Amino acid sequence: MASVNPFNLSDSEEEAERRPNETVDTERSSSDGAPGPPPGNPFSPPADAERPTLLLASNRTSPSGEGISVAAPSAMAGPADTRVSVDVIAAQLLRDQYILTALEFHTELLESGRELPRLRDYFSNPGNFERQSGTPPAKDQVLGPGGPLNRAGSISTLDSLDFARYSDDGNRESDERVAVLEFELRKAKETIQALRANLTQAAESEVPSQERKNFKSSPEIQEPIRPLEKRALNFLVNEYLLKNEYKLSSITFSDENDDQDFELWDDVGLNIPKPPDLLQLYRNCGTSPPSLRDRVDVSVGVNFTDLPGNCITQDPPKKPDLSQQQQTEVVQELEYQISLLNSEKESLAGQIKKLQSEIQTLKRTVSSPPPTIQDLGSQNTSNSSSSSTNNTTTTSSTDPLSVLPKDNGQYLDIRGVSEPESDLDPPSTHNASQYHSKLKSRPPVQFDQPNRKLSPAFQQALLSFCRMCSDSRLGAEVSRIADSEESVMLMLGRCLPHIVPNVLLAKREELIPLILCTACLHPEPKERDQLLHILFNLIKRPDDEQRQMILTGCVAFARHVGPTRVEAELLPQCWEQINHKYPERRLLVAESCGALAPYLPKEIRSSLVLSMLQQMLAEDKADMVREAVVKSLGIIMGYIDDPDKYSQGFELMLLSLGDPSERVVSAVHQVFIPAFAAWTTELGTLHTALIPSLLARIEKLLMQGEHSLDEHKLHVFLSALQSLIPPLFAVVLQNAPFTSRANLHRDTPAIEVTRFPRPASPLQDVATIIGSREMLSALLLLYDHQLEHEGTTGWDSLLWVVNQLLPQLIEIVGRINVTSSTCVHEFSRFFWRLCRTFGKIFTNTKVKPQFQEILRLSEENVDASTGNGILTKATVPIYATGVLTCYNQEEDRKLLVGFLEDVMTTLSLSHAPLDSLKASFVELGANPVYHELLLTVLWYGVVHTSALVRCTAARMFELLVKGVNETLVAQRVVPALITLSSDPEISVRISTIPAFGTIMETVTQKELLERVKMQLASFLEDPQYQDQHSLHMEIIRTFGRVGPNAEPRFRDEFVLPHLHKLALANNSQAVESKRSDIATQLFEAYSALSCCFISEEVMVNHFLPGLRCLRTDMEQLSPEHEVILSSMIKECEIKVENRAMADAQGSMSIASSLVGEDAKTKFLSKMGQLTTSGAMLANVFQRKK
């Protein structure tokens, strides 16, 4: 049976919805040695099988958890001997998950009067029908009996089919109708799913194969759109319009396609998952798989000795270890290496040619210097033409474009560090200067000179008419072309500060790669600092995506430049913006500290960065900044290795847990505490320092706040302890005697999804802490075996939990205030998670015995005089709701019912306070799963022989009514209360009045309200109750509590008239003490009802007369309260007059309403000056005697 979390009902449901869709393969594989049944009839044996194996061929676990083995009848028996019993058929149906067939079988047996216990227990257990998702389970996953059942989304369970269980009202026909409708709904859903699958298959084969070939052979001819493709595209287009705020266009589009439901992808009709949105399809449509590597066609021979060890096999042709995909990757990698070598060879060949051409040019320059302009003037035409030809050849050979080195693919990749660091370092200044000087030593480029005799001055003046500008900064940059890598970096460093301000804010992230590359390679520290300053100030208020881009760049920069430059260049930028006025910029700083933590020197990581984050956590006012700070602190805790920083980490944990923002506290539990716990685990201080420190603070808090406990601080410390449970369990497993014997093998069963509580984050998942789910599964098997058979000898970590942690926790639980529902809930949740994490065997053998030793259910354990017995403490509700509800098997539920019945009996017979029992009912009543169980406990009290126990049961119904659905109230609660209302003991009858009042306050069924109204009327009008002072007190108290929230008709026709009668009767009360008590309760009841809307007729006939009768009593008993009553009466009279005037004039006067509000304000202010509690008013009356 699936476990139920009593504190958060959605825990188990959400975990179940995250599980893969489960399917059950009911046929056994051929390796099992048992052939599966033929497809026609699952109950008929194969042709070659023996008859005795008709139903049960092996022992398997039944849905109720019991192993069933059916002895096959003798093979020699005749056909009459092969009849199978009804129970065997039921077991087979449940085992093979024919749930609906089993349900119909169960119904037919019920109608024939032959109820089968197996089917009754199965269908009356809601745990068998918890909703599961639809993905198939793992191969080695064992499904429970209710695992693969896909139920309709109905709030009712199959328990409703047990018609005669609690109902006497004859609702059988309606329940049968509901069950039939649910069955028909499930069948309809199955039919729809099958039709959708057929529709998809038909759509795929809609275009004839010949036409499809024609479309493929002629790409220019487009294949016509299919109806299902059109519906799918319509859905994606409408989704795009809605996401991008084109709402009117979306509405128009929907109107034009009114035959399609755009809110449900299933309406498209395709039996396929929903594709990505249009934007994602557009981004991926025209791009082939990214490949920056050049490919060449070469012949490759793979030498197996060069491949990794796991790629070499003894017999490669027959049993290759490499899959086809791995072989393809190896070939591609070798091709890529060959292409790199070819590129390098071509680059070297080009450099050789370049050097040879330079040598030839130098030889020519030395042998014949270039002619001057004067020489050119003295040469003839033929010489000039030949010179021109020679110069042209020289120019082409010495063109700068021809001598520049080719790009050999070596560029800076800021996305990762796949190449060695030596290749990624920027070129040294020495090498760059050598290359630069080599280029400078190159001879000047020669151009063709005209055969003219112009003076140089005239040429210069003539060229001045060309509009060129080299005087400005930009002109100087343009006219000076970079001739080396270093000069390019220098040019970028000079130009980027002028480019960035002129780029649109929305597009500035496009400059991040350029800024980062320049900052990486620039030789000048000042320029690098300026560039990084530009990076952090690139966008005024960066959004989430822009911050992620900047962080990605910072991490890439850190990977390439190393820790020294990160400390010297990046950290100062963070420090400068730690107090920036925009929270987005401070958020960038907080996130940068965490992202850069792995790339910083460890001394800086544990000192400067930790101090920066601590300052921001304490001083920053933005919740999102402190949230990012906490996450970055968690990352720091994952890399810190200085044990002296433990105390600082502990203080940071307490400081962040006390943050007023919920998102910050959530980040603490999700990131910081798991990371800090992992560090303390390595230090060996998790169970020796961290957990004991939190327990000590809880004890100190309880000692200081005996009268006014700070519940918020208690919640902070207890939630921190709760987040430390998974790391503590991991420590227990990793330090166990069997840890060295844990082996990973394929036979290890998968871990049940409900084995552990749902973690708040992946860092709190025990499998993540251990390393893998396979290792955790192997350790859990050995853990359960060790606890069950070998004990805890030598298991220090578990012994600490059993002998120190649990006793201290139980002692703390006994000291908290049982009336504080918050404290009870927090501790119950803590014990529930502790028991669920450590497992059922640990809970049954280690936790329950310690509680049971303390909670000895006897009257000696209750001090009736002081109420200080252990059964009156919070230990009772926390044990009941935190330990006994961890597992929801039948024996666990029986144990819980027995414990609550014993507590109720013991407290009642001892005349002890019922606070511990009430706390248990409130905590359990918050979960509808336990309503039936609590009603069973109360029915035990209803039929108990002791009147004290029956009184307690009647009072407990009041707590349970508010959370129970009206069906249970009508079928279980009201009959029990009516039984108690006719009890021989008057005290029992009086105890039912608060519960009846709560029903009037919460229930809406008219028939039910009339039954309750008749019962209350019998209390008020029956002569035998005329002089029952305590009954009248309880009725008036109940009317004052439920009157303002009850149905107006009930209040006007029942509550106010009877309050008037009681007030009138109290005027003639002879006993002054009784008169004082009744007057006190009437005053409180009228004070509560005065804020309700009361009709004029009721106001005149009942409310005002009742107030006047009460004022008569107060004149003698308490003149101070008589003043308040006079004010109330005056205001009511004004309201009546104003309504009469409004009716006469046809409209409400504004002035009258203002007067009414002013009178109400005066009345409430006077009420605030007096204490209206019963005890204080009684004291006032005593003084006035």
Side-chain angles (χ1 to χ4, degrees):
M1 183 184 297
S3 61
V4 180
N5 184 345
F7 311 101
N8 184 1
L9 185 59
S10 64
D11 276 4
S12 60
E13 291 177 357
E14 291 176 2
E15 288 168 1
E17 289 177 1
R18 289 200 307 271
R19 294 175 62 185
N21 295 334
E22 297 182 354
T23 61
V24 177
D25 184 6
T26 59
E27 298 182 356
R28 305 184 64 184
S29 63
S30 59
S31 61
D32 295 334
N41 184 2
F43 287 97
S44 63
D48 56 345
E50 296 179 357
R51 291 185 64 86
T53 60
L54 179 62
L55 284 178
L56 299 177
S58 62
N59 294 341
R60 286 184 287 184
T61 305
S62 70
S64 60
E66 302 170 357
I68 300 175
S69 177
V70 175
S74 172
M76 301 299 294
D81 297 332
T82 60
R83 177 164 181 162
V84 184
S85 67
V86 175
D87 186 70
V88 172
I89 294 175
Q92 182 72 13
L93 290 175
L94 294 178
R95 179 181 300 105
D96 291 340
Q97 294 298 307
Y98 296 114
I99 304 301
L100 294 177
T101 307
L103 172 59
E104 293 178 0
F105 188 37
H106 175 50
T107 306
E108 291 175 357
L109 289 177
L110 278 179
E111 292 175 351
S112 63
R114 295 184 298 161
E115 185 179 25
L116 194 61
R118 180 185 303 279
L119 293 176
R120 179 197 61 204
D121 295 340
Y122 183 81
F123 288 114
S124 63
N125 186 358
N128 291 328
F129 306 97
E130 288 185 347
R131 187 172 182 84
Q132 306 290 335
S133 60
T135 57
K139 292 182 179 180
D140 54 350
Q141 185 173 358
V142 181
L143 291 177
L149 179 59
N150 290 324
R151 297 177 56 233
S154 173
I155 61 172
S156 63
T157 66
L158 296 176
D159 192 31
S160 61
L161 290 179
D162 198 354
F163 308 120
R165 192 171 182 184
Y166 302 119
S167 174
D168 297 326
D169 296 336
N171 295 327
R172 178 168 180 168
E173 294 182 359
S174 61
D175 292 340
E176 286 181 339
R177 180 61 178 163
V178 170
V180 171
L181 290 176
E182 288 186 349
F183 172 76
E184 292 176 352
L185 177 61
R186 285 193 287 273
K187 297 297 290 183
K189 288 184 177 179
E190 294 174 2
T191 305
I192 291 172
Q193 189 68 17
L195 289 175
R196 291 181 68 246
N198 295 336
L199 180 60
T200 303
Q201 184 177 4
E204 291 175 352
S205 59
E206 192 174 27
V207 180
S209 58
Q210 185 61 37
E211 294 183 13
R212 197 175 293 114
K213 291 181 180 178
N214 295 337
F215 293 137
K216 291 183 178 178
S217 60
S218 302
E220 66 275 4
I221 304 177
Q222 186 175 3
E223 182 179 352
I225 188 170
R226 304 173 187 173
L228 290 178
E229 291 175 341
K230 180 179 179 182
R231 294 173 68 85
L233 289 175
N234 287 346
F235 184 89
L236 295 176
V237 169
N238 184 73
E239 182 184 45
Y240 167 79
L241 293 175
L242 287 177
K243 285 185 177 180
N244 293 275
E245 300 298 329
Y246 298 114
K247 295 183 179 179
L248 294 178
S249 302
S250 173
I251 295 172
T252 306
F253 188 71
S254 301
D255 292 339
E256 292 175 349
N257 298 275
D258 54 356
D259 60 336
Q260 185 172 351
D261 183 5
F262 288 107
E263 296 182 358
L264 186 63
W265 168 253
D266 290 341
D267 182 69
V268 173
L270 293 176
N271 198 20
I272 57 174
K274 180 179 174 296
D277 56 18
L278 277 184
L279 179 60
Q280 193 67 26
L281 292 174
Y282 170 75
R283 289 174 174 172
N284 299 334
C285 65
T287 59
S288 59
S291 176
L292 298 178
R293 303 171 176 178
D294 295 332
R295 303 296 175 88
V296 294
D297 294 330
V298 295
S299 299
V300 180
V302 180
N303 186 359
F304 282 94
T305 59
D306 296 335
L307 297 178
N310 59 355
C311 298
I312 302 174
T313 61
Q314 295 179 357
D315 192 5
K318 294 182 179 179
K319 292 180 72 175
D321 291 339
L322 285 174
S323 65
Q324 185 66 26
Q325 181 179 2
Q326 291 174 326
Q327 292 175 356
T328 304
E329 292 177 354
V330 171
V331 172
Q332 290 177 353
E333 184 63 30
L334 293 175
E335 289 177 352
Y336 174 60
Q337 294 179 3
I338 291 175
S339 66
L340 287 181
L341 293 175
N342 288 335
S343 300
E344 187 176 359
K345 183 184 72 173
E346 292 175 1
S347 176
L348 293 175
Q351 292 182 14
I352 291 173
K353 291 180 181 179
K354 180 197 67 175
L355 293 175
Q356 289 176 349
S357 63
E358 287 183 359
I359 292 173
Q360 294 295 331
T361 304
L362 289 174
K363 287 180 180 179
R364 292 173 184 173
T365 303
V366 173
S367 60
S368 58
T372 60
I373 295 178
Q374 289 79 2
D375 296 335
L376 289 173
S378 62
Q379 291 178 351
N380 55 21
T381 307
S382 62
N383 290 338
S384 65
S385 61
S386 63
S387 175
S388 174
T389 305
N390 293 335
N391 288 339
T392 304
T393 305
T394 305
T395 302
S396 63
S397 65
T398 58
D399 190 352
L401 296 176
S402 65
V403 300
L404 285 177
K406 295 183 178 179
D407 183 12
N408 60 356
Q410 302 292 331
Y411 62 93
L412 182 62
D413 184 5
I414 69 167
R415 293 171 296 177
V417 285
S418 58
E419 289 79 18
E421 272 192 34
S422 59
D423 296 335
L424 299 174
D425 289 337
S428 63
T429 307
H430 177 66
N431 295 336
S433 61
Q434 281 186 349
Y435 182 71
H436 183 66
S437 62
K438 182 171 66 175
L439 291 178
K440 289 296 184 181
S441 65
R442 186 178 59 185
V445 181
Q446 299 182 6
F447 300 95
D448 289 342
Q449 298 296 333
N451 190 12
R452 299 291 301 276
K453 297 181 180 180
L454 298 177
S455 66
F458 185 84
Q459 279 187 333
Q460 191 69 24
L462 183 62
L463 292 176
S464 66
F465 284 94
C466 297
R467 299 180 62 84
M468 296 184 295
C469 177
S470 59
D471 297 336
S472 64
R473 176 195 63 80
L474 185 59
E477 294 289 352
V478 172
S479 62
R480 182 173 54 193
I481 300 298
D483 53 5
S484 69
E485 290 90 342
E486 181 185 10
S487 58
V488 171
M489 290 299 106
L490 293 173
M491 182 269 294
L492 287 174
R494 293 190 302 269
C495 292
L496 277 175
H498 301 280
I499 294 174
V500 171
N502 297 297
V503 178
L504 292 175
L505 286 174
K507 297 295 182 182
R508 285 191 181 177
E509 61 265 23
E510 300 291 340
L511 295 171
I512 293 177
L514 197 59
I515 296 173
L516 283 169
C517 290
T518 309
C520 272
L521 302 177
H522 203 286
E524 294 294 331
K526 289 186 178 180
E527 294 295 330
R528 295 200 300 266
D529 181 74
Q530 183 182 8
L531 289 169
L532 292 176
H533 180 76
I534 291 174
L535 176 66
F536 273 81
N537 294 273
L538 190 63
I539 303 168
K540 187 176 181 181
R541 306 181 77 161
D543 58 21
D544 187 61
E545 185 176 354
Q546 292 167 335
R547 286 196 309 274
Q548 290 180 9
M549 198 63 61
I550 295 174
L551 287 178
T552 304
C554 290
V555 170
F557 179 88
R559 285 174 174 172
H560 288 87
V561 304
T564 304
R565 281 184 60 183
V566 174
E567 175 190 353
E569 298 177 10
L570 269 183
L571 271 188
Q573 303 299 331
C574 296
W575 182 261
E576 287 178 2
Q577 306 210 11
I578 196 173
N579 292 316
H580 200 278
K581 64 177 180 177
Y582 292 129
E584 292 84 359
R585 300 281 278 275
R586 303 197 302 273
L587 182 58
L588 177 62
V589 173
E591 293 173 340
S592 300
C593 291
L596 295 175
Y599 312 103
L600 288 168
K602 61 180 182 179
E603 298 83 4
I604 297 299
R605 195 160 47 212
S606 59
S607 58
L608 177 61
V609 178
L610 196 61
S611 301
M612 289 171 58
L613 293 173
Q614 185 174 7
Q615 177 182 343
M616 295 182 73
L617 180 64
E619 298 178 359
D620 205 292
K621 297 180 180 179
D623 294 349
M624 61 179 181
V625 177
R626 297 198 306 276
E627 180 186 12
V629 167
V630 167
K631 292 180 180 179
S632 296
L633 280 172
I635 298 174
I636 294 291
M637 290 301 155
Y639 285 90
I640 201 169
D641 55 2
D642 184 3
D644 296 335
K645 296 296 180 179
Y646 166 78
S647 58
Q648 186 177 1
F650 183 75
E651 294 301 325
L652 284 172
M653 182 186 72
L654 296 181
L655 177 62
S656 54
L657 281 171
D659 196 278
S661 172
E662 291 185 4
R663 59 190 297 180
V664 176
V665 176
S666 177
V668 177
H669 291 292
Q670 292 177 4
V671 183
F672 184 87
I673 291 182
F676 188 58
W679 183 36
T680 56
T681 300
E682 295 179 18
L683 296 176
T685 57
L686 176 65
H687 60 283
T688 59
L690 180 55
I691 295 178
S693 298
L694 291 172
L695 290 174
R697 279 169 167 76
I698 291 176
E699 290 182 334
K700 183 179 179 181
L701 194 65
L702 293 174
M703 291 177 60
Q704 293 175 349
E706 292 182 355
H707 301 290
S708 58
L709 178 63
D710 191 343
E711 294 183 353
H712 176 68
K713 284 187 177 181
L714 181 65
H715 167 73
V716 166
F717 296 143
L718 204 55
S719 63
L721 273 179
Q722 188 169 297
S723 296
L724 292 174
I725 292 176
L728 178 62
F729 184 63
V731 169
V732 170
L733 290 180
Q734 291 170 338
N735 297 325
F738 53 77
T739 303
S740 59
R741 306 198 307 268
N743 295 321
L744 297 179
H745 50 83
R746 295 183 179 178
D747 297 335
T748 304
I751 304 172
E752 295 182 9
V753 176
T754 57
R755 169 61 181 83
F756 293 101
R758 189 187 62 208
S761 75
L763 296 178
Q764 287 193 7
D765 191 349
V766 182
T768 304
I769 300 173
I770 293 293
S772 67
R773 297 197 70 83
E774 293 77 14
M775 177 58 72
L776 177 60
S777 179
L779 289 174
L780 285 177
L781 283 178
L782 296 173
Y783 169 77
D784 291 339
H785 182 271
Q786 181 85 14
L787 282 178
E788 194 169 6
H789 299 98
E790 300 181 18
T792 59
T793 304
W795 200 347
D796 295 337
S797 54
L798 187 66
L799 287 173
W800 177 84
V801 175
V802 175
N803 298 330
Q804 297 187 39
L805 178 63
L806 282 176
Q808 191 172 2
L809 285 171
I810 294 174
E811 181 186 358
I812 290 174
V813 162
R815 293 163 56 185
I816 68 173
N817 187 4
V818 69
T819 59
S820 173
S821 59
T822 303
C823 295
V824 172
H825 176 75
E826 292 290 339
F827 273 98
S828 298
R829 187 178 181 84
F830 173 81
F831 271 98
W832 188 87
R833 287 189 172 269
L834 178 70
C835 295
R836 289 289 300 179
T837 302
F838 278 79
K840 186 171 185 178
I841 299 176
F842 178 86
T843 303
N844 291 336
T845 59
K846 306 298 180 185
V847 181
K848 289 181 180 178
Q850 294 200 32
F851 273 99
Q852 291 167 356
E853 177 65 24
I854 295 175
L855 296 170
R856 292 186 300 273
L857 295 173
S858 62
E859 296 187 21
E860 294 79 13
N861 227 1
V862 179
D863 189 350
S865 60
T866 61
N868 290 330
I870 190 65
L871 289 183
T872 62
K873 299 294 184 182
T875 312
V876 169
I878 290 173
Y879 174 60
T881 61
V883 178
L884 295 181
T885 61
C886 286
Y887 298 95
N888 208 26
Q889 300 289 345
E890 189 63 29
E891 60 270 18
D892 301 312
R893 298 173 73 89
K894 288 181 179 179
L895 183 61
L896 177 59
V897 169
F899 175 74
L900 292 176
E901 289 175 352
D902 293 342
V903 169
M904 181 170 64
T905 304
T906 307
L907 292 178
S908 302
L909 297 178
S910 304
H911 299 277
L914 302 176
D915 293 332
S916 59
L917 186 63
K918 290 180 179 178
S920 303
F921 270 72
V922 169
E923 192 69 25
L924 290 173
N927 191 342
V929 173
Y930 295 103
H931 288 170
E932 284 278 2
L933 184 145
L934 294 176
L935 288 172
T936 303
V937 174
L938 291 181
W939 184 253
Y940 166 83
V942 170
V943 299
H944 199 275
T945 56
S946 172
L948 297 173
V949 179
R950 297 198 297 272
C951 283
T952 302
R955 296 197 175 275
M956 291 298 107
F957 275 113
E958 178 188 358
L959 301 175
L960 197 58
V961 166
K962 291 184 178 180
V964 176
N965 63 68
E966 294 191 5
T967 303
L968 279 180
V969 172
Q971 296 178 358
R972 303 288 302 277
V973 177
V974 172
L977 288 174
I978 290 178
T979 301
L980 291 173
S981 64
S982 59
D983 194 271
E985 292 290 334
I986 185 64
S987 59
V988 176
R989 284 176 269 173
I990 294 175
S991 299
T992 61
I993 294 175
F996 280 124
T998 305
I999 292 175
M1000 298 299 297
E1001 186 181 13
T1002 56
V1003 174
T1004 58
Q1005 293 183 13
K1006 291 185 178 180
E1007 298 86 359
L1008 200 58
L1009 291 175
E1010 287 298 325
R1011 292 175 66 184
V1012 175
K1013 184 177 177 182
M1014 290 173 58
Q1015 186 60 47
L1016 291 176
S1018 67
F1019 284 143
L1020 289 166
E1021 298 170 1
D1022 196 325
Q1024 63 174 327
Y1025 301 119
Q1026 186 174 0
D1027 296 328
Q1028 291 294 333
H1029 176 72
S1030 56
L1031 183 141
H1032 293 159
M1033 289 282 293
E1034 194 66 53
I1035 285 181
I1036 296 172
R1037 187 183 298 112
T1038 301
F1039 281 173
R1041 176 173 57 87
V1042 306
N1045 301 320
E1047 187 183 8
R1049 182 183 171 200
F1050 171 72
R1051 181 175 60 242
D1052 293 344
E1053 296 180 1
F1054 188 80
V1055 174
L1056 291 176
H1058 283 93
L1059 283 179
H1060 177 203
K1061 292 180 182 178
L1062 291 170
L1064 183 62
N1066 196 48
N1067 290 149
S1068 58
Q1069 176 62 251
V1071 181
E1072 190 169 354
S1073 61
K1074 292 183 179 180
R1075 185 180 181 187
S1076 174
D1077 294 339
I1078 294 293
T1080 301
Q1081 294 301 327
L1082 284 173
F1083 182 81
E1084 293 184 354
Y1086 274 111
S1087 299
L1089 292 168
S1090 63
C1091 298
C1092 302
F1093 176 80
I1094 303 172
S1095 64
E1096 181 179 357
E1097 180 182 359
V1098 177
M1099 179 78 73
V1100 173
N1101 295 333
H1102 300 293
F1103 193 77
L1104 276 174
L1107 282 178
R1108 294 188 181 102
C1109 293
L1110 181 59
R1111 183 175 62 177
T1112 303
D1113 291 333
M1114 289 300 185
E1115 289 176 351
Q1116 303 177 13
L1117 299 172
S1118 176
E1120 292 104 341
H1121 292 83
E1122 188 269 337
V1123 175
I1124 298 175
L1125 286 171
S1126 299
S1127 176
M1128 291 172 63
I1129 293 172
K1130 183 177 180 181
E1131 181 187 358
C1132 293
E1133 292 173 347
I1134 292 175
K1135 285 183 179 180
V1136 172
E1137 293 176 1
N1138 290 338
R1139 289 177 187 174
M1141 292 175 59
D1143 292 339
Q1145 298 175 0
S1147 63
M1148 175 64 71
S1149 172
I1150 299 177
S1152 63
S1153 64
L1154 293 177
V1155 170
E1157 289 297 325
D1158 184 57
K1160 181 178 180 181
T1161 304
K1162 290 180 180 180
F1163 163 69
L1164 293 177
S1165 64
K1166 290 183 179 180
M1167 285 290 296
Q1169 299 173 3
L1170 290 173
T1171 304
T1172 59
S1173 65
M1176 293 299 294
L1177 288 176
N1179 293 336
V1180 172
F1181 297 150
Q1182 292 294 331
R1183 288 194 297 271
K1184 292 301 176 181
K1185 282 185 178 180

